Amino acid sequence: MTAPAAPRPDLAPQAHPQRWLILGVICLAQLTVLLDNTVLNVAIPSLTTELKASTADVQWMINAYSLVQSGLLLTAGSSADRYGRKKMLVVGLALFGIGSLAAGLAQSSGQLIAARAGMGIGGALLITTTLAVVVQIFDDSERVRAIGLWATVNSLGFAAGPLVGGVVLNHFWWGAIFLINIPVALIGLVAVVRLVPEFKNPSGERPDLLGALLSTIGMTAVVFAIISGPEHGWVSGRVVTTALIGVVVLAGFVLWELHIPYPMLDMHFFRNQKFIGAVAGAILVAFGMGGSLFLLTQHLQFVLGYGPLEAGLRTAPMALTVVALNLTGLGARLVRRMGTPATIAAGMSALAAGLVAVAVLGRDGYTGMLLGLVVMGAGISLAMPAMANAIMSAIPPAKAGVGAGVNGTLAEFGNGLGVAVLGAVLNIRFAALVPAAVGAASLPAALAAADGPGERAAIKDAFASGLEASQLVGAVAVLAGGLLAALLLRRAERTEAAAAERTEAAADGRESAGERTETEEEAAAGKPGTSA
């Protein structure tokens, strides 16, 4: 009998002796990438003045980064699996550093837009590859906590971007917000080269070039439509046409992936109940988080009267709660004690409860909103790492890069969906309640057209009612999604357990049959009259 093959180190995740140091290095790189999603918002006045940038130029400066990054996530993850995750980390850090240098020294709007697009390519490689490396260097006993810390950096990056940008702009010119990335990229390059082991898919699959092209075009078109929707209108020709192109191209991508022997994204993953449950939960966590933050900033500024920086500071408790709870390892302990489905259900229920508290208690003041933000942060700290771990554990380790790309794509899609759906609920409710003589094109326009303090108060009250309705709709969607995800994951676990029991029983049956055969042979050999 041939001896069983030894487990491959590039396939079976094993605890790396320097895993926590490596995690710190890649989280530092990840933090820089995520900061650049929001850090430019506070520099808009400076860019308008110094680069003579138009409104359209400023929008492209902000969106070029997220658009390119989102469109390339699946392709970047597949490349990391195919060509090596360490190599892609190095390439991503190099591109991000070069793009940051070009952005910091840009002399025109066009140069800055191009530099931001280059940074987006590096960011896509970093986001997918860091999570794949985390999955590879931590074993099952520590992976949930490691992913929790990785998710903490995600939350911190998005929340801290405007604050970091504001601090830098108080002392330096606008280009410094990009140049501070360069030392981080250099430190990351040295650390990755020295510390991170190389991992790649050992099966030698051929690159899926058409799949990469279709996924990039499709995702870019869909994200562009989501970004353009709030400004141009969700039913405008520009948005609808772009969205249709994206959907058609992504449908072509799915058909192509189903009919080739070496797909970039194996569509059979979507037959896995565990994967489907985690996917549903991940989209709805991003839906609730992205949509609520979009509404919260308007509530704080338009209803409660805070300035932009004050509003940004008042949303920070949610991110700080996520950071504090994940640093203590609470989520990882609960996953071990309660299981992944129950932890996700608890986290999503808390996120929904936080949205309800913000809607009901935060309508007229910040105190009630603060309670809701803390409860939302607690829910996110439980649900996000558990779902990221469920997605990654449902995919073979050799495809961890693609899994990370799926996880990042779902986050982008959920954020955009949350802004679109909850924003639409807000607009519908506001239009229904605002006085007909004023019109409801927007809150500032309605206030400008108002006749007297009483009418302005009624308009503000209508906007607050719209915010409350949209937050409650988000809470219902998040709660339903959490329960659905938990149900699917629980069913998948039972299916896996039943399959394992059947396999074990079959193995026991083969062993028993083998023992009976040996006994019969021995008895036959010992019968009288048989010759030796």
Side-chain angles (χ1 to χ4, degrees):
M1 181 182 294
T2 305
R8 295 283 297 271
D10 50 359
L11 287 174
Q14 297 175 354
H16 191 279
Q18 294 178 301
R19 57 195 178 279
W20 295 107
L21 181 58
I22 294 172
L23 178 64
V25 170
I26 61 180
C27 281
L28 179 63
Q30 177 94 344
L31 178 62
T32 310
V33 171
L34 293 167
L35 285 172
D36 274 82
N37 279 292
T38 53
V39 73
L40 197 60
N41 293 338
V42 294
I44 289 174
S46 301
L47 293 169
T48 303
T49 303
E50 297 185 29
L51 292 183
K52 305 294 189 292
S54 66
T55 302
D57 290 336
V58 171
Q59 289 173 338
W60 275 109
M61 291 172 191
I62 294 172
N63 294 337
Y65 181 73
S66 57
L67 188 63
V68 171
Q69 182 175 286
S70 304
L72 287 174
L73 283 171
L74 280 177
T75 302
S78 176
S79 299
D81 291 336
R82 165 76 184 171
Y83 300 110
R85 294 164 197 167
K86 180 175 182 174
K87 288 187 184 72
M88 291 301 105
L89 266 178
V90 170
V91 172
L93 283 165
L95 287 174
F96 190 76
I98 293 169
S100 297
L101 178 62
L105 301 179
Q107 299 297 310
S108 68
S109 298
Q111 291 176 5
L112 182 54
I113 291 169
R116 290 276 289 172
M119 292 171 65
I121 298 172
L125 288 169
L126 289 173
I127 286 176
T128 54
T129 310
T130 51
L131 181 55
V133 170
V134 169
V135 170
Q136 197 68 54
I137 63 177
F138 287 91
D139 59 20
D140 293 342
S141 64
E142 295 178 322
R143 189 183 302 125
V144 177
R145 185 181 180 193
I147 290 179
L149 294 174
W150 179 87
T152 297
V153 171
N154 284 1
S155 302
L156 184 61
F158 280 107
L163 301 180
V164 171
V167 171
V168 171
L169 288 174
N170 279 341
H171 298 88
F172 305 100
W173 95 111
W174 63 265
I177 62 179
F178 300 112
L179 297 182
I180 58 175
N181 295 335
I182 296 173
V184 177
L186 290 173
I187 292 170
L189 273 172
V190 173
V192 166
V193 170
R194 293 177 62 90
L195 294 174
V196 176
E198 182 61 285
F199 300 105
K200 67 171 74 172
N201 187 346
S203 63
E205 295 178 0
R206 293 191 298 271
D208 178 13
L209 298 179
L210 181 58
L213 179 65
L214 291 173
S215 73
T216 301
I217 293 173
M219 281 303 305
T220 302
V222 169
V223 173
F224 181 78
I226 290 172
I227 289 173
S228 304
E231 180 192 359
H232 297 282
W234 293 104
V235 295
S236 67
R238 175 178 182 173
V239 172
V240 171
T241 302
T242 310
L244 284 175
I245 291 172
V247 170
V248 169
V249 173
L250 287 177
F253 168 71
V254 171
L255 292 175
W256 173 254
E257 297 298 287
L258 285 170
H259 290 91
I260 60 171
Y262 300 105
M264 184 176 79
L265 175 61
D266 189 346
M267 293 298 159
H268 294 95
F269 292 152
F270 292 92
R271 296 179 182 176
N272 185 327
Q273 287 186 341
K274 186 176 182 181
F275 184 79
I276 291 293
V279 162
I283 289 175
L284 286 165
V285 165
F287 176 95
M289 192 164 135
S292 65
L293 283 175
F294 169 73
L295 298 172
L296 278 171
T297 53
Q298 297 182 64
H299 192 153
L300 288 164
Q301 294 180 71
F302 293 145
V303 177
L304 300 183
Y306 294 109
L309 183 58
E310 293 174 311
L313 286 170
R314 280 166 175 78
T315 62
M318 181 171 70
L320 293 176
T321 302
V322 175
V323 172
L325 292 181
N326 276 332
L327 286 177
T328 62
L330 176 63
R333 290 198 297 272
L334 285 179
V335 167
R336 286 195 296 270
R337 184 173 302 173
M338 299 168 50
T340 299
T343 303
I344 289 175
M348 298 283 273
S349 298
L351 177 56
L355 286 167
V356 171
V358 167
V360 177
L361 303 178
R363 175 168 176 161
D364 300 316
Y366 180 69
T367 303
M369 184 180 289
L370 176 61
L371 173 64
L373 288 170
V374 171
V375 175
M376 286 174 65
I380 291 167
S381 69
L382 297 180
M384 277 186 70
M387 280 184 298
N389 184 64
I391 289 174
M392 299 304 289
S393 62
I395 290 177
K399 293 281 189 179
V402 171
V406 170
N407 188 67
T409 301
L410 294 177
E412 291 289 342
F413 180 70
N415 279 327
L417 193 65
V419 170
V421 173
L422 299 189
V425 173
L426 165 63
N427 291 335
I428 291 169
R429 180 69 174 165
F430 178 56
L433 294 176
V434 76
V438 175
S442 67
L443 177 64
L447 289 173
D451 184 16
E455 202 165 76
R456 280 193 289 272
I459 291 169
K460 281 194 172 186
D461 187 64
F463 191 78
S465 296
L467 286 168
E468 180 179 344
S470 56
Q471 296 282 23
L472 292 174
V473 168
V476 171
V478 167
L479 180 61
L483 296 178
L484 173 64
L487 176 65
L488 291 173
L489 287 168
R490 177 69 70 193
R491 186 180 297 172
E493 287 184 353
R494 288 175 178 168
T495 302
E496 289 177 356
E501 288 178 2
R502 287 195 299 270
T503 302
E504 185 177 349
D508 290 342
R510 285 193 298 270
E511 289 177 4
S512 299
E515 290 174 0
R516 286 195 300 271
T517 302
E518 290 176 4
T519 303
E520 290 168 0
E521 289 175 352
E522 290 171 359
K527 284 181 182 179
T530 58
S531 57

